Amino acid sequence: MNVMQFGLLSVVVLLVGFIGIATGKNKALFALLTILVNSLITTIPSIFALGGDVQSGTLHFSHIPGLPIDIRVDKLSAWFILIINVTSLNGALFGLGYMRSYQHLKTNVGLHWIFYVLFHISMVWVCMFQNGIMFLISWELMSLSSLMLVIFEYQNKGTLRAGINYMVQMHISVIFLTAGFIWLFSETGFFNLEALAAIGADNHAIWIFIIFFIGFAVKAGFLPFHTWLPHAHPAAPSHVSGVMSGVIVKLGIYGIFRIISYVRVDWLIIGEVVLNLSIITALYGILNAAVQFDMKRSLAFCTIENIGLIGVGMGLGLIGMGLSRDELVILGFGGALLHTLNHSLFKSLLFFSAGSIYQQTHTRNIEKLGGLIRSMPYTATFFLIGALAIGGLPPFNGFISEFLIYTGLIKGLFSMKGIAHVILLILSLTGMVLVGGMSIIVFTKLFGIVFLGQPRTQLQHPPHEVSFVMKLPQYIIIILMVTIAVFPQFYFDQVGAVVASVFPTHFEVNTAEITAGTYGLTTIGQLSFYFLVLVVLVFLTRFLVIRKRKQETCETWGCGYVAPIPAAQYTGGSFARTFANLFGFITREHIYFDKIPKIRLYPGEKKFATFYFDLIEKLVVNTIVKRIAHTLNYFQFIQNGKIQSYVLYGLFFVIIVFIGTALGIIS
């Protein structure tokens, strides 16, 4: 079977899945089976492509401009398709258990799973289509289906507001991408992205690149196009949040990789801009993550941070292309691609863990939680592993990809001669170190406040561990994370082959030679394996020694204070207060409290509340929105609810068309 037959078969499976979900009783199971089958179907050509056999085919439709319509799965497409399939399948499996609490909303659940399977296959189509028209159609299907997933609980005004925000910003992305394809078509006569390679510097290639970059950056969440993430991720069901953070933002990265591969001018300048933008994005994301009280909102800002880290690798790779330094190209782009995979794993794991907590406690506010490690030990372990991985600590997968990017920055620092480039790389290294340290603060806060100590509020229902079907995808994710940590050389060889295939005209890369210069990835994998084996042996020995002993649970020494109360514990706000004050020029805090009148000698109960806001959203995005709304208010008289006015509008339109036809303006 060729890629065309696989593609048509996936459409058939999709339609059968729609029918099964609409008519069947177990809608979640039908959705899971549909995604499983379509994942297998699209994984086969992807594996062939990674093996070096590029899968391609052509569709011919006479009424669609920019022919031919190419369906192509190369190594870059295959890498992202495999990430999409793994994350979407895990999300569906987690959702199988997570959505059981919504079974009373039968219509909502049925539509949810229909849009979920469409969401999955549309993301795959984005990676397969090379024609601009079909690419935009797939992109729009992906955006609309994910919108419907975000607003599942549309009865909640906050959820609906987040959905509208998401819809508007996704269509801003579509506007830029459409403008880019139109400009590309006017210059070359083709709608394919690869036509960008034929445009020289004199034909506005850099400006077309900028338009495409903005369109993809909105989806990826680069600063200042990030403001939809902290709203959409908390609003969506947690399995959807995991997939959106794990994959949908990565399709913005995929698009940027695509246009980078076809750009033939100004690599050095573009790389410097991308590197600067990425470091700022990473710092801004992790700073805001540190001060959030909403667990999922904090994880959303961490997504922005990791998009910045991926961007650092891309910027480094572009600088390497501009300076003809092969090792920077392979380490930069390779580190970015591997971190794309790593982030999809540990971030979906963290969102799934957050979903387990929300299902049991019905709150995302960490200030209301505490002590959950006793009632939810598995979830606590999953979250801790995800936290260690996202912090870039060995022996987990996040360390491997960040290690590659660090190695590339250090190699560039000692091999570049220009003082400007040296300063840029020093600042980039400093920024990544700061991001790594702040990430530890963020997840120490989240894990400590949520899982340790005592419950801070009395929950309506005592929390307990989630079902096995919700734990199973988290086990799968951890296994994949461990394989990357233990066998990093294998994965680096894969991303090295992807980079070499995407940029074949720029350099002749010898992956083996560059691998030898990465300070021993194989050694790191072996040490990680020995450490994990040691941990397993320690816990196994402990279990064998104490399994027959009587166990008692008692309080630890309280330092002379034998009456602890929940209110005396650290809160999320108090934990991050000093840190937030240090970076107060970014992490702005609002404080609400009732002032005590001077004439009241014995004031009663007073309320005090604080929250942090997104500086860019408040000062830039909200200001623009208010100006637009203020301007549009002048035209409210048009929509006045009077039928007579609407009839006049129609008559006026008919007259305009008649006059235009008579004068030959309209043919």
Side-chain angles (χ1 to χ4, degrees), residues 47-310:
I47 291 175
F48 286 150
L50 283 178
D53 183 11
V54 175
Q55 307 292 297
S56 61
T58 305
L59 291 174
H60 294 280
F61 295 105
S62 58
H63 57 283
I64 296 181
L67 292 175
I69 296 176
D70 294 328
I71 298 178
R72 189 166 183 265
V73 179
D74 58 8
K75 289 188 176 183
L76 182 62
S77 299
W79 182 257
F80 281 87
I81 288 173
L82 291 176
I83 294 174
I84 290 168
N85 288 340
V86 170
T87 309
S88 299
L89 194 56
N90 280 325
L93 190 57
F94 183 84
L96 191 65
Y98 183 82
M99 297 299 289
R100 285 175 181 170
S101 57
Y102 297 96
Q103 288 306 311
H104 59 286
L105 303 173
K106 293 184 179 180
T107 302
N108 289 31
V109 171
L111 289 173
H112 172 84
W113 286 117
I114 285 175
F115 283 115
Y116 190 92
V117 297
L118 179 61
F119 176 49
H120 165 245
I121 201 64
S122 62
M123 290 190 291
V124 174
W125 288 344
V126 166
C127 297
M128 293 176 68
F129 283 117
Q130 300 296 310
N131 176 269
I133 300 295
M134 300 305 296
F135 182 91
L136 288 173
I137 291 173
S138 303
W139 192 271
E140 186 71 359
L141 282 174
M142 173 184 67
S143 299
L144 292 177
S145 57
S146 58
L147 166 66
M148 300 308 294
L149 295 175
V150 168
I151 62 172
F152 172 74
E153 297 183 86
Y154 62 87
Q155 298 88 347
N156 186 321
K157 289 184 179 180
T159 299
L160 203 56
R161 190 181 300 113
I164 293 172
N165 182 0
Y166 175 71
M167 179 184 67
V168 170
Q169 297 206 45
M170 289 307 98
H171 282 85
I172 291 174
S173 169
V174 170
I175 289 171
F176 277 98
L177 294 179
T178 303
F181 278 114
I182 291 173
W183 197 346
L184 189 63
F185 182 76
S186 67
E187 294 283 348
T188 65
F190 294 98
F191 271 116
N192 286 17
L193 275 172
E194 61 185 356
L196 187 60
I199 303 178
D202 298 334
N203 293 326
H204 318 294
I206 189 64
W207 293 108
I208 298 176
F209 169 83
I210 290 172
I211 290 176
F212 274 119
F213 182 85
I214 293 174
F216 289 124
V218 173
K219 178 69 75 176
F222 280 99
L223 225 63
F225 314 111
H226 68 285
T227 54
W228 64 271
L229 278 100
H231 296 287
H233 284 7
S238 292
H239 62 291
V240 176
S241 300
V243 176
M244 289 182 68
S245 180
V247 205
I248 197 171
V249 296
K250 305 307 190 312
L251 288 179
I253 298 297
Y254 167 78
I256 294 172
F257 260 109
R258 274 289 175 214
I259 56 175
I260 285 175
S261 67
Y262 296 132
V263 170
R264 297 291 182 265
V265 295
D266 299 323
W267 295 319
L268 187 58
I269 296 175
I270 294 173
E272 291 169 349
V273 171
V274 170
L275 185 57
N276 280 288
L277 176 63
S278 300
I279 286 293
I280 295 171
T281 297
L283 286 169
Y284 188 86
I286 199 63
L287 281 171
N288 281 277
V291 298
Q292 300 302 316
F293 303 142
D294 186 312
M295 183 162 41
K296 290 178 68 177
R297 186 173 171 85
S298 181
L299 292 177
F301 274 110
C302 287
T303 297
I304 296 168
E305 171 235 336
N306 279 273
I307 289 297
L309 295 181
I310 294 170

Side-chain angles (χ1 to χ4, degrees), residues 382-393:
F382 295 149
F383 193 92
L384 179 61
I385 292 173
L388 293 173
I390 200 172
L393 297 176

